[in-house]
Amino acid sequence: MISGLAMNGHGRGALEAFRQMGQAGVPPDDQTFTGLLSACSHCGLLDEGMLFFETMTKQYGIKPNIHHYGCIADLMGRVGKLDQAYELIMSMKELKPDSALWRTLLGACRIHHNVTLGETVVGHLVELKAQEAGDYVLLLNIYSSVGDWEKVKDTRRFMKERGIQTSLGCSSIIVKGVVHEFLVDDVSHSRKEEIYTTMDEINKQLKIAGYVADITSELHNLDEEEKGHALSYHSEKLAMAFGILATPPGTTIRIAKNLRTCVDCHEFAKALSWVYNRVVVIRDRNRFHHFREGRCSCDDFW
């Protein structure tokens, strides 16, 4: 329950479940604290997370493992304490940092546009011979967010030369027992014309309501208008449009995506949930996002 609440953005609920666990006399184990620290990292509960990290050893005699360090590094990174997170990782003596731990910090570098540390982290991944396409995509995100298009070009060239290929984003939605899958700019669906007409209408309504595309999510050196257009037809947006088109008003829209949803699609889903009075649930590569009345369960801390 603690881990499930954490994954769905209910950090305080996870902490309450832990309190009830103690009242029931059930002793926590290492996985309990992994769930608790994950809940803190997903919800930005820095003080609580640091307290759990300290008391798990002092009060319960549980030695932190690589997952616990990963959660704390993630928590520090998300709240902007990138240098402290790096120092924590480098201070690990008995445990050797693995690729998952470095990727956690790389994700924080993307959030806070920290180019220097991002390059350092990729260097550690290269040393481990564990670098993946997604790592370079995060690096591209960091470079593009600060407008360093020369490094974006260099990184793309490097990926091409090494044959590093990225996975296509794919979003799916189930309507009346049938799975409908979408890629970016997808035109393969039998109702594509209706979907794109609906998508255009949604864009108009959301803009009236104040939604503005987050062009930092676009990794190509385009002008603002071109970037906005490129972001308009991401796979989860098309899945949401189909959900609006194919289900009755008030129906919850549930979408699964194989990659981490981008910042712009996250903002889009928040706006859509408010304008169309729909609950939208997106399970991406990392967690569940529950959008309701213009807010997300993650409180934009993801």
Side-chain angles (χ1 to χ4, degrees):
M1 283 185 67
I2 290 171
S3 297
L5 287 164
M7 190 177 294
N8 283 276
H10 303 298
R12 294 292 180 187
L15 270 57
E16 173 61 21
F18 178 67
R19 187 188 67 79
Q20 293 181 21
M21 185 177 176
Q23 287 183 337
V26 181
D29 58 14
D30 61 336
Q31 293 190 25
T32 307
F33 281 98
T34 298
L36 281 171
L37 294 175
S38 176
C40 292
S41 70
H42 279 311
C43 299
L45 304 175
L46 180 62
D47 292 340
E48 292 86 343
M50 296 306 296
L51 181 62
F52 283 130
F53 190 65
E54 181 180 340
T55 58
M56 66 180 286
T57 301
K58 292 183 177 180
Q59 185 173 341
Y60 297 99
I62 298 172
K63 202 171 184 179
N65 60 32
I66 194 75
H67 303 296
H68 301 133
Y69 276 102
C71 290
I72 288 296
D74 186 40
L75 175 55
M76 287 179 169
R78 287 175 187 271
V79 299
K81 297 182 178 294
L82 298 177
D83 291 336
Q84 292 93 321
Y86 183 72
E87 289 170 7
L88 174 73
I89 295 173
M90 295 301 291
S91 71
M92 293 167 56
K93 293 183 172 31
E94 297 181 20
L95 297 171
K96 185 178 180 180
D98 62 6
S99 58
L101 188 51
W102 286 122
R103 286 193 184 99
T104 293
L105 186 54
L106 184 59
C109 291
R110 182 203 62 80
I111 294 171
H112 297 287
H113 316 308
N114 193 317
V115 175
T116 303
L117 186 56
E119 292 175 334
T120 300
V121 171
V122 170
H124 285 292
L125 288 167
V126 171
E127 286 179 8
L128 291 173
K129 297 181 179 179
Q131 70 271 29
E132 296 178 352
D135 304 327
Y136 292 104
V137 172
L138 283 173
L139 196 57
L140 284 170
N141 267 278
I142 297 170
Y143 290 146
S144 65
S145 69
V146 297
D148 194 337
W149 299 110
E150 194 61 35
K151 286 193 175 181
V152 168
K153 186 169 66 175
D154 290 343
T155 305
R156 288 190 186 280
R157 185 188 303 116
F158 174 83
M159 293 173 68
K160 185 176 181 180
E161 291 172 352
R162 298 297 179 90
I164 301 171
Q165 296 183 337
T166 58
S167 300
L168 287 175
C170 177
S171 297
S172 60
I173 179 172
I174 299 176
V175 176
K176 296 180 180 178
V178 178
V179 178
H180 300 264
E181 291 186 339
F182 297 91
L183 303 175
V184 62
D185 295 326
D186 204 329
V187 292
S188 62
H189 198 279
S190 61
R191 300 181 67 180
K192 59 181 180 294
E193 292 183 2
E194 294 174 88
I195 292 170
Y196 275 86
T197 299
T198 302
M199 187 75 247
D200 291 341
E201 179 59 28
I202 291 173
N203 276 320
K204 289 178 184 177
Q205 295 301 323
L206 298 196
K207 285 178 182 178
I208 292 172
Y211 160 75
V212 178
D214 188 321
I215 59 174
T216 61
S217 298
E218 175 51 45
L219 304 183
H220 294 85
N221 189 11
L222 307 171
D223 63 34
E224 288 194 19
E225 184 176 347
E226 289 174 319
K227 284 187 176 185
H229 179 77
L231 291 167
S232 294
Y233 305 108
H234 277 192
S235 64
E236 55 266 63
K237 289 183 180 178
L238 294 176
M240 281 185 262
F242 181 69
I244 294 292
L245 172 67
T247 62
T251 304
T252 297
I253 297 174
R254 301 180 186 276
I255 295 167
K257 184 173 182 181
N258 64 329
L259 303 176
R260 184 183 186 276
T261 192
C262 76
V263 174
D264 179 59
C265 287
H266 191 267
E267 292 300 306
F268 182 92
K270 281 168 42 180
L272 183 141
S273 71
W274 175 51
V275 173
Y276 285 83
N277 193 26
R278 296 284 193 114
V279 174
V280 179
V281 181
I282 298 180
R283 180 194 62 76
D284 70 5
R285 185 174 180 172
N286 296 333
R287 60 178 297 164
F288 286 85
H289 294 270
H290 299 260
F291 301 92
R292 185 193 304 267
E293 297 178 348
R295 294 176 56 87
C296 179
S297 57
C298 73
D299 284 331
D300 298 337
F301 195 85
W302 53 289

